């Protein structure tokens, strides 16, 4: 298998996603969108998409650094604000984090990372109330499938326009629409500590991960079939395990059914429900 | 005979009957002004597609008071539109009506209700059990709703029963963004080409646009002509009304040139089925 199987008609995809953002927002009765910008590629693409869909005047972007954030993130976030013509907004969450961290001596990196992601979530949702806006999420399909994201943290949003695009497809689309090269070329990172990279954390490159995910998920191949496409069986099993163990993040919590009609089970209405 | 058909590639509001009826009236008036003789709307155009439990709230018989304005307008133009039909048995069906001369002339109940992957139609709708073949002022007409179009046996049978004009209201979600065309567009193109090329029918395929809970319907409505192929093709994703011309002379001309209908022998099919059943 080659990476060509993941190639997309980016012109068509971008047009479609713009319409998705416009319609999902307007159907919900909103004209404004809020986006937390990290300086990374996913939020950069979503910002540009939202601005093209709604107009810069209707997009409220905010950079939410903490003490661990790199100078590079600030620089790239700044570049994207300028590139999209939206005013710079910044709110440092270090003070909020410190207040809690002081009460938790010995807290590890993972818990700290999750805490920071959830503080950003709390801020962006508060900002969205202030602006009467919906929060647009920036999760991509690769991280949703392997669970490389914080439940009720960066996953929390009203809509996910790039949630069905693998990371390598996000890169390709970003190149297609001409995002600044420095944002496209940088190593993906959750930026929770110095030198952290997604690929270091996940343990393989997005090129490899995306091809394995594509075969397992989109093509419904067995692990043996993926192996026969040239991917080590151990690696394939590791990816399968990541998908399995993160399933809870991708579904609403189960509700114990008691009545004739239960929310989430047989009280069935579309998200875009309007009477 | 030539006549003009309007393909109303609209974006219905899910569950909002009142809004959708008004939108239909505006579309019909636009088609009338343009001189159309027939207007075709997408699947479930009067209710929206992803209804889930709203199905119960929006189901109506075709002769309900809410649709009276459309019946009235059908004195001037024939109308095919999609709705949730409340059957006499109180079962909801995914149906399309054909109104003409102020009356409901026919109602087709979707036969093949996709229930797999992203689709869950059998969870909410009863299944239609009859092919729709009926005579109109446009000739022998048939209706297939969305997935019905992908069943060549049924479409072939309708052709064998004399259908010359096939109306195909649809709600096909976009998927397969890898190529020049969407993968689903190519699949539909095969079905349209097959019906027109091999069965000598005109097909009016009207697909909706807009999003229901992340499902984006792609539009791309088309008029498929036995002689000319796809003569009218609406853009992707945009709510538009496009007009096409049907020249019924093309049917005879095509069937003379490629006489598949003339060659057709349903006895072979009948014999094969009976042999199989008895073996």
């Amino acid at each position: 298998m080659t990476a060509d199987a993941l190639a997309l008609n980016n012109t068509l995809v971008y047009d479609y996603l713009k319409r998705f953002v416009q319609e999902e927002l307007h159907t919900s009765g909103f004209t404004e969108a809020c986006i937390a910008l990290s300086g990374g590629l996913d939020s950069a693409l979503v910002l540009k998409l939202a601005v093209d869909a709604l107009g810069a005047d209707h997009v409220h972007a905010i950079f939410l650094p903490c003490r661990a954030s790199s100078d590079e993130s600030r620089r790239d976030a700044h570049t994207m604000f300028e590139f999209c013509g939206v005013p710079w907004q910044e709110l440092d969450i270090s003070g909020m984090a410190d207040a809690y961290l002081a009460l938790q001596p010995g807290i590890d990196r993972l818990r700290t990372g999750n805490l920071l992601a959830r503080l950003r979530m709390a801020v962006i949702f508060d900002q969205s109330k202030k602006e009467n806006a919906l929060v647009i999420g920036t999760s991509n399909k690769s991280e949703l499938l392997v669970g490389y994201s914080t439940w009720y943290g960066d996953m929390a949003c009203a809509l996910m326009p790039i949630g069905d695009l693998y990371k390598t497809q996000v890169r390709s689309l970003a190149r297609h629409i001409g995002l600044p090269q420095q944002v496209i070329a940088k190593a993906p990172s959750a930026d929770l500590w110095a030198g952290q990279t997604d690929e270091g954390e996940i343990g393989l490159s997005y090129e490899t991960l995306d091809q394995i995910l594509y075969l397992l998920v989109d093509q419904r191949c067995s692990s043996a079939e993926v192996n026969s496409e040239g991917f080590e069986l151990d690696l394939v099993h590791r990816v399968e395990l990541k998908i399995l163990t993160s399933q809870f993040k991708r579904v609403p919590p189960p509700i114990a059914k008691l009545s004739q009609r239960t929310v989430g089970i047989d009280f069935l209405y579309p998200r875009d429900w309007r009477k | 005979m030539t006549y003009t058909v309007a393909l109303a590639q609209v974006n219905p509001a899910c569950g909002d009957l009142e809004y959708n009826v008004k939108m239909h009236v505006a579309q019909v008036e636009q088609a009338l002004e343009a001189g159309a003789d027939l207007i075709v709307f997408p699947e479930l155009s009067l209710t929206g597609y992803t209804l889930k439990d709203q199905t119960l709230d929006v189901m109506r018989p075709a002769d309900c008071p809410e649709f009276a304005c459309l019946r009235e307008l059908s004195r001037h133009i024939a109308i095919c539109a999609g709705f949730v039909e409340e059957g006499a048995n109180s079962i909801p069906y995914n149906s399309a009506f054909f109104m003409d001369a102020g009356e409901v002339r026919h109602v087709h109940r979707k036969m093949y209700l996709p229930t797999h992957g992203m689709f869950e139609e059998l969870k909410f709708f009863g299944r239609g059990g009859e092919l729709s073949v009926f005579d109109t002022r446009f000739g022998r007409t048939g209706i297939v709703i969305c997935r019905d179009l992908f069943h060549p046996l049924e479409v072939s049978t309708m052709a064998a029963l004399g259908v010359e004009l096939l109306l195909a209201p649809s709600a096909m979600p976009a998927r397969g963004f890898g190529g020049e065309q969407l993968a689903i567009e190519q699949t539909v193109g095969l079905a349209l080409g097959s019906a027109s090329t091999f069965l000598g029918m005109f097909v009016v395929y009207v697909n909706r646009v807009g999003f229901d809970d992340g499902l984006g319907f792609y539009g791309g409505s088309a008029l498929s002509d036995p002689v000319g192929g796809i003569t009218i093709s609406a853009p992707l994703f945009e709510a538009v009304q496009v007009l096409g011309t049907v020249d019924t002379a093309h049917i005879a001309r095509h069937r003379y040139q490629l006489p598949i209908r003339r060659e057709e022998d349903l006895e072979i099919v009948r014999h094969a089925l009976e042999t199989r059943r008895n073996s």
Side-chain angles (χ1 to χ4, degrees):
Chain A
M1 170 188 169
T2 68
D4 289 351
L6 283 113
L8 291 175
N9 181 335
N10 282 320
T11 305
L12 211 53
V13 169
Y14 198 67
D15 181 23
Y16 180 77
L17 293 181
K18 270 194 299 188
R19 292 170 192 272
F20 167 78
V21 170
Q22 284 165 349
E23 187 166 333
E24 289 292 345
L25 218 77
H26 294 160
T27 305
S28 307
F30 288 83
T31 58
E32 310 297 302
C34 255
I35 299 167
L37 221 67
S38 67
L41 180 59
D42 296 327
S43 59
L45 176 62
V46 170
L47 175 65
K48 175 71 173 137
L49 177 69
V51 165
D52 288 346
L54 307 169
D57 293 348
H58 297 285
V59 179
H60 308 272
I62 184 163
F63 179 55
L64 301 170
C66 65
R67 203 167 296 111
S69 301
S70 67
D71 292 341
E72 194 185 40
S73 296
R74 173 182 300 278
R75 181 200 69 192
D76 293 338
H78 209 273
T79 301
M80 280 311 301
F81 275 92
E82 285 195 343
F83 183 75
C84 293
V86 292
W88 175 259
Q89 288 191 82
E90 176 179 347
L91 195 150
D92 193 313
I93 60 167
S94 302
M96 296 166 66
D98 288 346
Y100 180 76
L101 292 173
L103 305 173
Q104 298 291 317
I107 188 168
D108 64 24
R109 281 202 310 202
L110 180 64
R111 283 176 60 203
T112 306
N114 282 338
L115 175 73
L116 293 171
R118 292 188 179 115
L119 288 175
R120 290 192 172 103
M121 178 276 293
V123 171
I124 195 70
F125 270 82
D126 177 61
Q127 293 292 313
S128 78
K129 190 66 183 166
K130 186 176 85 177
E131 304 291 354
N132 194 25
L134 286 187
V135 175
I136 305 195
T138 63
S139 298
N140 62 57
K141 188 171 183 173
S142 310
E143 65 188 35
L144 285 174
L145 283 171
V146 298
Y148 189 65
S149 44
T150 301
W151 201 29
Y152 299 113
D154 50 309
M155 287 178 76
C157 62
L159 56 151
M160 281 190 191
I162 60 168
D164 203 18
L165 290 176
Y166 289 112
K167 182 73 177 191
T168 46
Q169 295 174 322
V170 168
R171 263 192 214 129
S172 164
L173 187 57
R175 273 194 293 272
H176 173 78
I177 61 166
L179 288 194
Q181 186 56 30
Q182 71 191 52
V183 178
I184 297 170
K186 69 195 288 187
S189 168
D191 204 20
L192 298 173
W193 57 83
Q196 184 194 25
T197 63
D198 293 7
E199 291 168 337
E201 289 282 294
I202 300 169
L204 67 170
S205 74
Y206 273 118
E207 278 71 19
T208 303
L209 174 65
D210 288 357
Q211 291 186 63
I212 295 173
L213 287 173
Y214 174 78
L215 290 168
L216 287 174
V217 175
D218 295 66
Q219 298 296 308
R220 296 176 190 258
C221 292
S222 67
S223 47
E225 287 169 323
V226 181
N227 176 234
S228 71
E229 293 283 341
F231 299 97
E232 283 176 30
L233 202 53
D234 281 357
L235 205 58
V236 179
H237 285 150
R238 265 178 52 210
V239 173
E240 281 183 316
L241 192 63
K242 283 179 190 294
I243 298 174
L244 280 176
T245 53
S246 59
Q247 173 64 2
F248 72 96
K249 295 186 185 181
R250 290 184 293 267
V251 293
I255 293 176
K257 182 168 175 62
L258 296 166
S259 68
Q260 292 296 333
R261 285 188 92 196
T262 307
V263 171
I265 296 178
D266 43 21
F267 178 76
L268 300 172
Y269 291 93
R271 158 71 180 259
D272 302 337
W273 185 17
R274 56 175 177 177
K275 282 267 184 188
Chain B
M1 171 177 64
T2 64
Y3 59 89
T4 302
V5 55
L7 288 67
Q9 182 170 295
V10 295
N11 180 7
C14 197
D16 193 338
L17 212 51
E18 190 182 337
Y19 170 90
N20 290 326
V21 168
K22 282 182 189 157
M23 179 264 282
H24 278 61
V25 168
Q27 288 286 326
V28 171
E29 285 170 349
Q30 183 185 333
L32 271 172
E33 266 183 41
D37 303 285
L38 163 66
I39 182 167
V40 182
F41 288 90
E43 175 181 16
L44 294 174
S45 57
L46 283 157
T47 59
Y49 181 77
T50 310
L51 291 160
K52 298 181 183 269
D53 277 349
Q54 290 177 105
T55 304
L56 180 66
D57 306 327
V58 299
M59 69 178 188
R60 299 286 187 278
D63 59 358
C64 69
E66 285 98 329
F67 302 160
C69 51
L70 294 173
R71 288 194 296 276
E72 192 54 37
L73 282 166
S74 79
R75 293 183 191 283
H76 314 289
I77 180 172
I79 303 169
C80 177
F83 70 117
V84 179
E85 180 197 0
E86 180 177 3
N89 48 14
S90 297
I91 291 173
Y93 294 95
N94 179 343
S95 296
F97 60 63
F98 185 92
M99 292 176 176
D100 198 15
E103 293 175 357
V104 178
R105 289 295 178 89
H106 188 82
V107 174
H108 171 65
R109 292 176 176 170
K110 187 173 183 176
M111 298 174 289
Y112 297 102
L113 299 152
T115 306
H116 61 96
M118 66 180 140
F119 301 109
E120 45 186 20
E121 293 186 25
L122 275 173
K123 202 164 169 180
F124 301 101
F125 295 115
R127 184 176 169 175
E130 285 183 40
L131 293 178
S132 282
V133 177
F134 53 104
D135 289 323
T136 70
R137 60 189 159 108
F138 308 107
R140 188 151 291 182
T141 303
I143 301 177
V144 286
I145 299 177
C146 207
R147 179 59 62 86
D148 293 344
L149 177 65
F150 289 172
H151 284 260
L153 197 59
E154 280 64 20
V155 177
S156 303
T157 306
M158 292 168 90
L161 294 172
V163 167
E164 297 176 336
L165 171 65
L166 187 67
L167 309 179
S170 296
M172 302 251 190
R175 59 241 197 235
F177 279 78
E180 275 298 302
Q181 268 194 318
L182 294 169
I184 183 65
E185 241 184 311
Q186 291 177 339
T187 308
V188 168
L190 288 174
L192 298 179
S194 159
S196 290
T197 305
F198 299 124
L199 305 172
M201 296 168 162
F202 278 91
V203 188
V204 182
Y205 168 72
V206 183
N207 189 33
R208 62 162 289 190
V209 291
F211 288 85
D212 278 2
D213 277 12
L215 291 190
F217 301 93
Y218 78 89
S221 302
L223 174 62
S224 185
D225 181 316
V227 171
I230 304 287
T231 54
I232 295 294
S233 181
L236 299 191
F237 312 138
E238 271 178 49
V240 289
Q241 183 179 122
V242 294
L243 299 174
T245 303
V246 174
D247 183 346
T248 54
H250 288 191
I251 296 167
R253 200 178 305 161
H254 178 75
R255 289 179 184 180
Y256 195 84
Q257 184 72 21
L258 187 63
I260 290 173
R261 278 293 309 283
R262 204 172 75 205
E263 296 160 359
E264 198 65 78
D265 186 353
L266 287 183
E267 281 307 311
I268 295 171
V269 179
R270 190 202 309 271
H271 176 71
L273 289 174
E274 282 175 359
T275 308
R276 177 84 184 163
R277 195 178 301 131
N278 297 333
S279 68

